[in-house]
């Protein structure tokens, strides 16, 4: 396959993507693989190599795994991926001696296909970077987009190092605090939950057997997500622990023994003795929805378009749904000779993604407000609801398919099909 030249001063390319996270890289690979004639480049403000220091892990739904396989990246990821084989949901207080299980899910959407895998972010990023290199996609690191100007035929993108790149389509995949979204004049709906998500990796004595657990506690959900064992730490799990922001900041900044004690109160001893294997970090949680996903020759993708609560573990997978939909719209437009940066083309992408995004934002908001409290009547109501779902296999199957990303109007890449 022909290799495209690195974009330089005054060069014109078809698609420039701002942001070299999993969304930006996956979008670049999807476009270039489906249409080798499209010139695609990625620019990222983070210094080279920073992505290798990301110690977080993510749950990748079955549909996203199918897409990554179609893009040629899953073979690198699979050896390091831990399938989620089943999941249990409890609702209790921190001090309760017993946490009754209200809901259980088997982990397959098809025989031998788990509904999700846990993968280290640096493994995911590295696999996509390798694939981008094979396709001749240039990644410009350590340089931010300083400004851009939209004209009738292209966008003039001015980089912080003084270079200007002209592109037919500029895609902003630069995160929930997107600077490019602000430059484009796109407003957001936003509110803060007053919560922070504490993330860390825990080593434990006994194997997790691929089980994920979600404990609904008064301050917020506490998730235990299984990771692939390794030679150094043995059995491992990833923790996503929601607390009120002041408490989360105090726990992360405070004494390590206090942190482990509080963690053990929530984690329990079912997997034996636990040890915090890395430095815990906390991120503030809120809901952010862009009022528009597109402007002429400009599109938002991933967290730049939507930031949601991690209660349903769908943030990353919503970003991959953006990638699959945007790639399908752009590739089909290019095949038909349409202008890939034209507003009529990009509005097809916006219509495809807006309902799903708003629906998921509302769902996670309602779930968080419903479960992150200790109000007795509401606790009784939600526990009855969980019990009803547990007794309805078809409804459980529906929830599993939704969580796996295999709902209605699924883009081709998420079905494992070529565009």
């Amino acid at each position: 396959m022909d290799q495209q030249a690195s974009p330089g001063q005054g060069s014109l390319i078809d698609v420039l993507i701002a942001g070299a996270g999993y969304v930006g890289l996956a979008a670049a690979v999807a476009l270039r693989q489906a249409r080798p004639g499209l010139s695609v480049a990625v620019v990222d403000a983070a210094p080279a190599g920073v992505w290798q220091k990301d110690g977080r892990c993510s749950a990748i739904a079955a549909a996203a795994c199918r897409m990554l396989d179609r893009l040629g990246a899953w073979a690198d990821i699979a050896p390091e991926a831990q399938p989620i084989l089943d999941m249990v949901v409890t609702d209790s207080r921190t001090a309760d001696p017993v946490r009754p299980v209200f809901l259980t899910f088997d982990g397959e959407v098809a025989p031998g296909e788990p509904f999700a895998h846990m993968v280290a972010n640096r493994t995911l990023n590295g696999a996509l970077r390798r694939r981008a290199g094979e396709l001749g996609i240039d990644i410009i690191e350590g340089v931010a987009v300083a400004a851009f100007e939209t004209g009738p035929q292209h966008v003039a993108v001015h980089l912080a190092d003084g270079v200007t790149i002209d592109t037919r389509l500029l895609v902003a995949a630069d995160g929930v605090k997107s600077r490019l979204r602000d430059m484009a004049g796109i407003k957001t709906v936003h509110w803060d939950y007053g919560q922070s998500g504490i993330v860390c990796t825990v080593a434990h004595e006994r194997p997790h057997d691929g089980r994920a657990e979600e404990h609904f506690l008064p301050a917020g959900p506490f998730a235990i997500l299984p990771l692939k064992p390794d030679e150094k730490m043995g059995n491992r799990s990833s923790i996503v622990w929601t607390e009120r922001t002041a408490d989360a900041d105090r726990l992360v900044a405070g004494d390590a023994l206090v942190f482990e004690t509080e963690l053990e109160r929530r984690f329990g001893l079912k997997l034996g003795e636990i040890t915090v294997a890395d430095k815990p970090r906390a991120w503030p949680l809120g809901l952010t929805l862009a009022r528009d996903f597109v402007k002429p020759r400009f599109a938002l993708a991933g967290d730049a378009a939507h930031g949601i609560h991690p209660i349903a573990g769908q943030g990353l997978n919503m970003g991959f749904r953006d990638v699959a939909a945007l790639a399908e719209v752009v590739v089909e437009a290019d095949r038909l000779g349409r202008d890939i940066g034209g507003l009529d083309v990009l509005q097809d992408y916006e219509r495809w993604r807006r309902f799903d995004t708003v629906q998921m934002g509302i769902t996670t908001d309602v779930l968080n407000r419903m479960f992150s409290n200790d109000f007795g009547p509401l606790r009784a109501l939600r526990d009855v609801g969980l019990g009803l779902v547990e007794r309805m296999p078809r409804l459980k199957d529906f929830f599993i398919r939704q969580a796996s990303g295999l709902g209605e109007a699924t883009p081709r890449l998420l079905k494992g099909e070529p565009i």
Side-chain angles (χ1 to χ4, degrees):
M1 186 174 293
D2 294 337
Q3 300 287 299
Q4 68 186 71
S6 299
Q9 180 69 39
S11 61
L12 173 63
I13 63 173
D14 293 308
V15 183
L16 180 65
I17 299 169
Y22 55 83
V23 168
L25 292 170
V29 170
L31 289 167
R32 180 73 171 166
Q33 177 171 285
R35 293 293 283 173
L38 287 176
S39 51
V40 182
V42 179
V43 60
D44 192 73
V50 166
W51 62 274
Q52 294 173 311
K53 300 177 182 178
D54 187 350
R56 294 173 295 172
C57 299
S58 299
I60 302 180
C65 294
R66 293 181 183 185
M67 183 179 79
L68 291 167
D69 188 41
R70 172 57 59 181
L71 296 182
W74 186 248
D76 282 355
I77 298 169
E80 304 300 323
Q82 170 62 52
I84 296 178
L85 302 178
D86 70 319
M87 182 172 182
V88 299
V89 178
T90 74
D91 185 13
S92 61
R93 298 174 178 87
T94 306
D96 289 350
V98 177
R99 291 181 182 167
V101 174
F102 287 95
L103 190 57
T104 62
F105 290 105
D106 292 329
E108 292 188 343
V109 293
E113 183 180 12
F115 80 89
H117 287 78
M118 288 298 298
V119 176
N121 286 5
R122 54 177 170 260
T123 298
L124 174 59
N125 197 298
L128 288 168
R129 283 172 179 267
R130 179 196 61 77
R131 189 70 184 117
E134 292 176 350
L135 293 170
I137 297 167
D138 193 61
I139 302 176
I140 306 165
E141 299 184 275
V143 183
V145 173
F148 63 87
E149 300 153 0
T150 303
Q153 302 298 323
H154 63 264
V155 183
V157 182
H158 307 293
L159 304 184
D161 61 1
V163 171
T164 296
I165 300 173
D166 295 332
T167 182
R168 296 168 64 200
L169 172 60
L170 175 61
V171 178
D174 55 338
V176 71
K177 296 182 179 179
S178 170
R179 293 183 67 245
L180 273 76
R181 183 184 63 213
D182 294 340
M183 292 178 196
I186 295 177
K187 304 298 183 181
T188 63
V189 175
H190 174 80
W191 55 79
D192 192 300
Y193 288 125
Q195 297 171 315
S196 289
I198 301 172
V199 179
C200 65
T201 300
V202 173
H204 42 82
E205 285 185 287
R206 291 192 281 274
H208 47 57
D209 296 325
R211 167 168 287 185
E213 301 184 14
E214 182 110 53
H215 301 297
F216 288 120
L217 302 172
F222 179 88
I224 303 172
L225 303 166
L227 297 178
K228 195 86 167 182
D230 72 6
E231 294 181 0
K232 182 179 179 181
M233 287 185 286
N235 299 308
R236 303 180 301 147
S237 292
S238 178
I239 302 300
V240 182
W241 171 6
T242 302
E243 277 289 343
R244 297 175 184 88
T245 294
D247 293 335
D249 291 343
R250 185 165 52 250
L251 282 164
V252 169
D255 185 83
L257 180 59
V258 172
F259 182 88
E260 286 208 8
T261 300
E262 289 298 319
L263 175 64
E264 189 174 276
R265 290 180 65 206
R266 292 156 177 81
F267 193 99
L269 297 173
K270 56 193 169 297
L271 297 181
E273 184 177 348
I274 64 171
T275 305
V276 178
D278 58 4
K279 181 174 176 55
R281 299 182 183 276
W283 280 269
L285 302 177
L287 176 68
T288 301
L289 298 175
R291 293 185 179 272
D292 299 293
F293 282 19
V294 301
K295 293 280 188 176
R297 305 202 174 279
F298 181 84
L300 298 175
D303 287 350
H306 43 72
I308 64 172
H309 198 284
I311 192 169
Q314 289 296 303
L316 175 147
N317 296 291
M318 286 178 65
F320 279 146
R321 290 200 284 274
D322 293 347
V323 168
L326 180 62
E328 190 165 326
V329 166
V330 169
V331 166
E332 289 190 342
D334 191 56
R335 285 173 178 155
L336 294 172
R338 300 172 68 193
D339 182 356
I340 63 171
L343 187 58
D344 58 333
V345 170
L346 297 178
Q347 284 175 334
D348 290 342
Y349 161 67
E350 182 177 61
R351 281 189 290 269
W352 200 346
R353 293 298 303 134
R354 178 174 291 282
F355 177 76
D356 176 56
T357 296
V358 173
Q359 181 186 52
M360 186 58 70
I362 292 172
T363 299
T364 55
D365 182 73
V366 170
L367 285 173
N368 183 54
R369 294 177 189 276
M370 181 178 292
F371 283 95
S372 297
N373 65 78
D374 199 23
F375 182 53
L378 185 57
R379 175 185 289 277
L381 179 64
R382 71 199 187 204
D383 290 349
V384 168
L386 289 173
L388 287 174
V389 174
E390 175 68 11
R391 291 166 176 79
M392 301 175 70
R394 289 187 179 180
L395 187 57
K396 288 173 68 173
D397 289 344
F398 170 78
F399 285 140
I400 282 288
R401 289 196 67 79
Q402 291 298 114
S404 69
L406 298 172
E408 297 180 3
T410 301
R412 293 175 198 163
L413 282 175
L414 294 175
K415 299 176 185 177
E417 301 171 358
I419 300 174

